[in-house]
Amino acid sequence: MESTYYEYGTAAERWDRAQMFFDAKEYVTAARILAGLVAEVPEQVAPRLLLARTYYHSARLGKAETELRAVLERDPVEQYARLMLGRTLERQGRGAEAATHLRMAAALAGEFPAPAGAPADGA
């Protein structure tokens, strides 16, 4: 079996390479590397979350949603995954569904709405 540049090296080397391509906004290449890592270590959240981000930035929103839901299955309180899922759903025109995830992301970040009738500055 012939190895290509994308599959070459240890998992740590491929992770570094994927991050390099992501930082360079080469999202399709980063996704190609990350898809292999996710298949190899599906239980790890970080590669799957970065894969979701590459899909989001390359407007492959259905794939981003799938990866984000997989992250949240493994780690339901992953705040950034909730935020990204909300934004992904918004971009798909699914505002009502997005609002739930965006509220949960805000709560996980410690951002709670002021009670009705309370001053906006908390005084």
Side-chain angles (χ1 to χ4, degrees), residues 82-83 85-86 89 94-107:
R82 288 272 172 211
L83 176 65
L85 180 56
L89 294 169
R94 295 160 59 190
E97 191 177 351
T100 300
H101 293 285
L102 294 172
R103 279 193 306 274
M104 288 195 313

Side-chain angles (χ1 to χ4, degrees), residues 20-98:
M20 178 189 69
F21 280 110
F22 182 86
D23 292 342
K25 298 182 181 181
E26 295 286 338
Y27 302 120
V28 173
T29 304
R32 185 173 174 184
I33 297 166
L34 289 163
L37 279 173
V38 166
E40 188 176 316
V41 286
E43 70 282 357
Q44 290 190 4
V45 170
R48 194 176 292 273
L49 187 55
L50 188 57
L51 179 58
R53 291 176 66 197
T54 66
Y55 288 148
Y56 179 85
H57 287 296
S58 59
R60 293 185 281 177
L61 302 177
K63 288 185 173 198
E65 179 183 351
T66 298
E67 294 303 329
L68 291 165
R69 290 188 187 280
V71 167
L72 292 169
E73 267 183 35
R74 288 164 175 75
D75 187 357
V77 295
E78 169 51 61
Q79 185 267 338
Y80 190 68
R82 288 272 172 211
L83 176 65
M84 277 199 62
L85 180 56
R87 289 185 177 167
T88 299
L89 294 169
E90 279 181 331
R91 282 182 69 185
Q92 294 180 69
R94 295 160 59 190
E97 191 177 351

